[in-house]
Amino acid sequence: MPKMKTKKSASKRLKVRGSGSIKRAHATKRHILTKRTTKNKRQLRGTLTIHPSDEKSARQMLPYA
């Protein structure tokens, strides 16, 4: 049976924590930030755990994580 391939787009966006949960970054933080308030940009810092309904598809995209 051939090796399973990792979806490279998912591996660049998601990281699996030691506990097994999957973390992701906030959206809308890349460019055109001048129109966003300082409070909004500050609240978009850090990472989040992905939603439980997305976890199954994320794990399928990251078979070796």
Side-chain angles (χ1 to χ4, degrees), residues 14-56:
L14 306 171
K15 296 283 179 267
V16 180
R17 294 182 174 130
S19 64
S21 62
I22 302 173
K23 68 178 181 176
R24 68 168 179 88
H26 286 272
T28 67
K29 194 74 197 311
R30 293 285 179 202
H31 62 110
I32 316 175
L33 297 174
T34 51
K35 62 177 72 169
R36 303 205 168 271
T37 63
T38 306
K39 179 181 178 181
N40 179 251
K41 290 184 280 192
R42 185 173 60 247
Q43 289 178 340
L44 291 174
R45 285 181 199 154
T47 56
L48 300 169
T49 303
I50 64 167
H51 196 269
S53 61
D54 299 324
E55 198 159 339
K56 183 181 177 186

